[in-house]
């Protein structure tokens, strides 16, 4: 019998998750007779909790929150400093209760928590890929995992600009407003990108998205062909554009047709290295990261994810 443990981010959905918890809990009881739950109290704590409860024998971890909560829990599945998971049989699921919830959109998990809980009753385990980002050039290299998308350039500058607001309180309009305000201060920087064994590319890129999933930034479909279990990233490189050109083409991001633009190219790769002589910020799963140089690696079939 599976040992089910629920990790709740009470601050997600602008604090509404804490208010909804009593109803969510009752719905979980209808599906799982026995389960334990814990509330997070600070950022990154879900990673620590996940690591500990898996070591103690929990093998089905259910997050309640948004993309940030999912990212923290996923990081907790791994042995610190290694690409090996603590328990290969342990699985992960999410009951959506967030604002942006881009990965949730991508996997078509119902936003109605009653429906998403009910689906967990018979949801099969599905092996999915996960991305690993390693920051290079420091005295000690740091690594993080991401379920959905990491990017450098304008997208990361937007996340940096809105970082004072917790991820659970951001919505689609909030991201778009952050995009427009970031445009005025943004300056594309020369970046060198190496993929697998191919010749390096160099250019002034507006956005470089390392996509495992398809959607980021509160509903922007940056990588419409991405798949979560194909063993590849979709690297989307958008060449520099004028500010008016960016605004006019922003609708393409929401319609899923950005990859048809002449200044956009998509490269499938397992390993991506990014270098620059200038400071270029990185974000992953909507969380502010460091700066390049950095390396991105796909970890194939890394996690068991439960969804229909």
């Amino acid at each position: 019998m599976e040992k089910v443990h629920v990790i709740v981010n009470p601050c997600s959905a602008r604090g509404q998750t804490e208010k909804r918890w009593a109803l969510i809990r009752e719905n979980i009881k209808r599906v799982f007779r026995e389960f334990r739950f814990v509330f997070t109290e600070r950022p990154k704590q879900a990673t620590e909790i996940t690591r500990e409860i898996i070591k103690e024998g929990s093998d089905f971890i259910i997050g309640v929150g948004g993309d940030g909560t999912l990212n923290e829990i996923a990081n907790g599945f791994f042995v610190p400093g290694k690409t090996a998971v603590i328990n290969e049989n342990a699985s992960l699921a999410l009951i959506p209760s967030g604002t942006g919830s881009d990965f949730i959109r991508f996997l078509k998990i119902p936003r109605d928590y009653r429906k998403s809980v009910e689906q967990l009753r018979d949801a099969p385990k599905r092996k999915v890929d996960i991305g690993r980002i390693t920051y290079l050039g420091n005295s000690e290299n740091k690594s993080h995992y991401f379920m959905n998308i990491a990017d450098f350039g304008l997208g990361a500058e937007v996340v940096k600009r809105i970082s004072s607001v917790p991820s659970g309180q951001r919505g689609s309009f909030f991201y778009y407003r952050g995009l427009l305000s970031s445009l005025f201060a943004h300056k594309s920087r020369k970046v060198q990108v190496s993929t697998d064994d191919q010749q390096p590319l160099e250019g002034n890129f507006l956005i470089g998205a390392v996509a495992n999933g398809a959607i980021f930034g509160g509903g922007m479909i940056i990588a419409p062909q991405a798949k979560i279990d194909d063993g590849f990233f979709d690297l989307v490189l958008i060449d520099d554009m004028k500010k008016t050109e960016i605004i006019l083409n922003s609708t393409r991001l929401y319609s899923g047709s950005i990859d048809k633009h002449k200044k956009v190219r998509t490269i499938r790769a397992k390993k991506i290295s990014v270098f620059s002589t200038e400071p270029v910020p990185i974000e992953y799963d909507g969380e502010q990261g460091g700066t390049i140089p950095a390396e991105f690696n796909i970890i194939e079939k890394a996690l068991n994810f439960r969804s229909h």
Side-chain angles (χ1 to χ4, degrees):
M1 184 176 176
E2 287 183 318
K3 293 184 178 179
V4 181
H5 209 124
V6 182
I7 300 176
V8 184
N9 177 3
C11 297
S12 59
R14 300 186 179 93
Q16 290 301 308
T17 299
E18 185 171 13
K19 298 175 183 177
R20 297 171 183 160
W21 171 241
L23 283 174
I24 296 174
R25 184 181 179 184
E26 287 305 311
N27 279 271
I28 296 174
K29 281 182 179 179
R30 294 191 185 102
V31 177
F32 301 103
R33 259 175 39 189
E34 294 183 18
F35 67 92
R36 298 173 64 190
F37 70 90
V38 60
F39 277 40
T40 58
E41 298 176 349
R42 53 184 167 79
K44 310 299 181 185
Q45 188 183 16
T47 299
E48 301 166 12
I49 293 171
T50 301
R51 196 167 286 142
E52 288 305 312
I53 61 179
I54 291 177
K55 288 178 181 177
E56 291 169 1
S58 295
D59 53 4
F60 187 14
I61 316 301
I62 303 172
V64 180
D67 290 338
T69 305
L70 183 64
N71 175 275
E72 289 189 22
I73 294 173
N75 272 267
F77 271 67
F78 290 86
V79 178
K82 298 184 179 181
T83 57
V85 292
I86 298 169
N87 177 1
E88 289 190 358
N89 294 316
S91 55
L92 168 63
L94 188 75
I95 298 170
S97 185
T99 47
S101 300
D102 291 312
F103 194 69
I104 291 160
R105 285 190 182 99
F106 172 56
L107 291 183
K108 297 181 172 59
I109 298 173
R111 292 295 297 267
D112 185 321
Y113 60 81
R114 295 173 181 84
K115 292 180 180 178
S116 62
V117 171
E118 186 63 30
Q119 281 197 358
L120 292 181
R121 186 188 303 277
D122 302 309
K125 288 182 181 180
R126 175 188 180 188
K127 285 283 187 183
V128 300
D129 306 332
I130 195 167
R132 188 182 194 224
I133 176 174
T134 303
Y135 299 105
L136 309 172
N138 301 318
S139 57
E140 182 181 353
N141 292 342
K142 294 183 178 180
S143 295
H144 298 284
Y145 295 96
F146 59 98
M147 293 286 291
N148 191 27
I149 294 174
D151 87 271
F152 55 89
L154 180 59
E157 289 183 12
V158 173
V159 170
K160 184 177 180 180
R161 181 173 290 271
I162 65 177
S163 62
S164 60
V165 178
S167 58
Q169 297 182 23
R170 305 171 195 165
S172 299
F173 177 73
F174 194 90
Y175 277 101
Y176 188 70
R177 189 174 63 183
L179 171 65
L180 294 179
S181 61
S182 297
L183 281 177
F184 295 100
H186 176 73
K187 177 185 176 183
S188 293
R189 297 172 176 86
K190 186 168 285 188
V191 175
Q192 185 183 79
V193 181
S194 300
T195 58
D196 295 336
D197 298 323
Q198 304 302 309
Q199 283 292 107
L201 297 170
E202 190 169 272
N204 286 5
F205 300 115
L206 178 70
I207 294 176
V210 182
N212 190 35
I215 306 171
F216 80 150
M220 299 180 188
I221 308 171
I222 188 71
Q225 304 304 319
K227 292 183 173 62
I228 195 69
D229 55 2
D230 63 353
F232 288 90
F233 289 124
D234 280 25
L235 170 63
V236 181
L237 296 173
I238 302 180
D239 292 333
D240 198 17
M241 295 182 182
K242 295 179 180 178
K243 292 177 175 59
T244 53
E245 192 178 2
I246 296 169
I247 295 170
L248 288 173
N249 283 284
S250 63
T251 55
R252 286 177 174 264
L253 283 167
Y254 293 96
S255 67
S257 61
I258 191 66
D259 59 334
K260 304 295 192 296
H261 194 280
K262 63 182 180 180
K263 289 189 176 182
V264 178
R265 73 190 95 175
T266 302
I267 303 166
R268 282 164 52 83
K270 293 178 179 290
K271 177 181 175 181
I272 299 164
S273 300
V274 186
F275 300 91
S276 179
T277 58
E278 301 176 84
V280 179
I282 300 173
E283 67 89 12
Y284 57 93
D285 286 353
E287 300 298 321
Q288 187 178 353
T291 57
I292 62 177
E295 183 177 282
F296 305 85
N297 288 276
I298 196 82
I299 313 298
E300 295 182 49
K301 305 290 193 291
L303 287 180
N304 296 307
F305 195 84
R306 302 271 284 267
S307 70
H308 276 283

